[in-house]
Amino acid sequence: MNSFPKELPTNPDIVVIGAGAAGIAATRTLVASDLDVVCLEADSRVGGRAHTDTELFGVPFDVGAHWLHCEHVNALKAPGLAMGLDLHAVPDRSVTVGLKDEAVLWDAVEAVFEQSAQAVKSLNKNDDLSLADVLKVDGPWANTIQTMCCLSMGRDPNEISLRDMFSWEGGKDWFCREGFGFLLARLADGLPISLSTPATAIEAKPHEVHLSTKKGSLTPKAVIVTASVGVLAEDIIRFDPPLDKERRSALDQITMGDYGHTALLFHPEAIPLEADTWLTYNIKDALDDIPQGGGFLCNASGTGLTVFETGGSFNKALQEAGSDAAVEYALEILVDIFGSQLRGKFEKGYSTNWRHEPYVRGSYSGAMPGASNQREILAMPHAGRIYFAGEATHKGQQASVSGAYLEGKRVAKQAIRSIKD
């Protein structure tokens, strides 16, 4: 259980804003240093964009982050294993409907990535390209190839920076059977976190910071802000002095993408595929040259859920259509693949909508072409006593829970040094 303060302390050493991965890591680091700290979370739960729900379907459903990327350097792998959670490598298990040799599809995807990597290597130091500049595919499977190339970025090809894309650490992916959000929430146990406490204004003074919340005011020596770039860009928190022009420009160029999960629950064994099988199909529809489709993670971590994963403007359109429409869209694809009898075995579904979450405003960050170096600006302190951390400030594991967690630890150590100097 979390140690939620009954009353906010008036003069803590440091206040952490946000109890997502970065905020939890920062708070754990500060508590271990015997500082008086409180973490303020605007939402009614911890975890931020890593949240495991067990009520919707009666089984763990990762509403947000599900993939533990970069397993060899993932900051959450060791803690999860130490807790005794069931972490396991994502199996190399996929099915492509309509292709006798699905290697044709994945070879084409790999060719795009290889061509993109070579394009980055040939660039001058300060130059960049979008994925659209090198993504030249044709044929009956072109839409599916393009979707698989762009899906994990949560963005359309013209909004993907190749430099940002290839600064990624890489490596194997793992899953947590109990849920990635569950793992992160366990790391928040016992921490001084005040839920439903949105920060509204932060005013930096020469020797302290004045912090306003909907539950009262605090005057810490320093503040660590782990809100998403979407929240910062929309000025949901007011800063005094205002954020400088360089940071505002960075927030215009490091923006939130769109990635979503549409989960469908069927009767057991309705879909005849093994756990964690990745299912692709021939995506035939496109709108303004953007494919309208995604991929299916079937029987995710053995829960029985099949999750339709979508990204970019297509995912944004699904969110705007609403959960019922998104569920019906995904169900219709599966019925077309497995037969009309599948509809009778369908129980219920749910689609995420991170763009409309008031304390998130999107899925995770991505750099517009030419802007990958702007992450360094987002990581810089503001007005001497205000620090920033999150997945958007990590340069090798950006857009990931692990990257956010590592950044939370980094900035906590930075803040500790500043108040002890």
Side-chain angles (χ1 to χ4, degrees):
M1 296 293 291
N2 297 95
S3 177
F4 302 128
K6 294 182 179 179
E7 296 183 2
L8 294 180
T10 305
N11 302 104
D13 292 315
I14 299 178
V15 170
V16 178
I17 296 177
I24 290 170
T27 304
R28 285 174 62 91
T29 303
L30 296 168
V31 168
S33 298
D34 294 325
L35 291 174
D36 184 12
V37 57
V38 62
C39 177
L40 308 180
E41 170 52 50
D43 211 335
S44 59
R45 59 167 181 79
V46 301
R49 287 165 276 170
H51 171 51
T52 303
D53 179 276
T54 56
E55 296 181 1
L56 280 168
F57 300 105
V59 296
F61 166 48
D62 277 328
V63 182
H66 181 64
W67 302 72
L68 282 76
H69 298 299
C70 310
E71 167 268 332
H72 65 295
V73 289
N74 192 291
L76 286 304
K77 177 185 173 183
L81 292 173
M83 294 175 198
L85 300 182
D86 187 356
L87 273 64
H88 57 283
V90 175
D92 185 13
R93 191 177 294 146
S94 65
V95 172
T96 301
V97 179
L99 272 181
K100 292 182 179 180
D101 181 7
E102 68 170 351
V104 173
L105 171 69
W106 298 114
D107 286 349
V109 171
E110 184 61 32
V112 171
F113 286 131
E114 179 59 29
Q115 182 181 5
S116 300
Q118 292 302 319
V120 171
K121 291 178 182 179
S122 67
L123 291 172
N124 293 325
K125 182 178 180 180
N126 296 321
D127 291 341
D128 197 2
L129 291 169
S130 74
L131 183 58
D133 292 326
V134 298
L135 185 58
K136 310 299 181 185
V137 292
D138 53 22
W141 288 84
N143 286 339
T144 305
I145 294 168
Q146 178 172 320
T147 298
M148 294 304 108
C149 289
C150 302
L151 184 58
S152 64
M153 303 298 290
R155 310 167 79 82
D156 294 341
N158 64 310
E159 294 189 346
I160 296 174
S161 157
L162 288 189
R163 283 204 180 277
D164 202 48
M165 187 175 184
F166 286 95
S167 65
W168 181 250
E169 289 268 8
K172 301 292 185 180
D173 294 329
W174 278 36
F175 288 147
C176 176
R177 197 175 306 278
E178 294 86 354
F180 201 175
F182 177 81
L183 189 167
L184 189 61
R186 285 280 301 273
L187 289 173
D189 283 350
L191 295 181
I193 301 173
S194 179
L195 296 177
S196 302
T197 312
T200 56
I202 304 172
E203 181 182 6
K205 297 291 186 179
H207 303 291
E208 61 190 20
V209 180
H210 291 181
L211 176 61
S212 300
T213 81
K214 292 188 176 180
K215 289 186 178 179
S217 300
L218 301 87
T219 310
K221 298 182 180 72
V223 171
I224 294 174
V225 179
T226 70
S228 74
V229 291
V231 167
L232 296 176
E234 293 189 22
D235 296 319
I236 294 173
I237 302 172
R238 182 178 61 83
F239 289 87
D240 185 11
L243 299 179
D244 54 76
K245 291 182 180 179
E246 290 76 14
R247 193 183 303 271
R248 299 294 327 187
S249 177
L251 289 171
D252 287 338
Q253 299 176 78
I254 306 290
T255 60
M256 296 290 273
D258 291 278
Y259 194 101
H261 296 158
T262 300
L264 301 97
L265 182 66
F266 296 93
H267 291 306
E269 301 180 359
I271 293 181
L273 295 174
E274 295 182 76
D276 294 323
T277 295
W278 183 255
L279 176 68
T280 53
Y281 61 99
N282 192 341
I283 299 171
K284 297 180 180 179
D285 295 331
L287 180 63
D288 296 328
D289 295 325
I290 302 300
Q292 306 294 285
F296 291 89
L297 182 64
C298 301
N299 192 15
S301 291
T303 61
L305 288 176
T306 288
V307 183
F308 186 44
E309 304 198 11
T310 51
S313 60
F314 173 66
N315 174 256
K316 193 172 183 178
L318 277 187
Q319 293 180 82
E320 294 296 335
S323 182
D324 289 347
V327 168
E328 178 58 30
Y329 187 97
L331 178 59
E332 187 60 33
I333 296 172
L334 292 174
V335 167
D336 186 57
I337 293 171
F338 294 106
S340 59
Q341 74 281 358
L342 186 66
R343 186 173 288 276
K345 299 177 181 179
F346 171 68
E347 294 187 0
K348 58 181 176 179
Y350 175 82
S351 189
T352 61
N353 193 338
W354 288 102
R355 178 64 61 175
H356 288 178
E357 289 291 331
Y359 305 120
V360 179
R361 311 305 290 163
S363 57
Y364 40 73
S365 71
M368 298 294 286
S372 62
N373 60 348
Q374 299 294 298
R375 293 187 185 278
E376 297 178 8
I377 295 174
L378 294 178
M380 294 174 61
H382 174 66
R385 294 179 177 271
I386 302 171
Y387 300 87
F388 294 87
E391 50 85 8
T393 63
H394 200 286
K395 292 186 289 185
Q397 294 187 52
Q398 65 273 35
S400 74
V401 180
S402 176
Y405 197 84
L406 291 169
E407 282 295 278
K409 293 176 67 175
R410 173 195 63 79
V411 82
K413 294 174 183 178
Q414 186 180 16
I416 290 169
R417 289 193 298 269
S418 72
I419 66 172
K420 289 184 176 181
D421 288 344

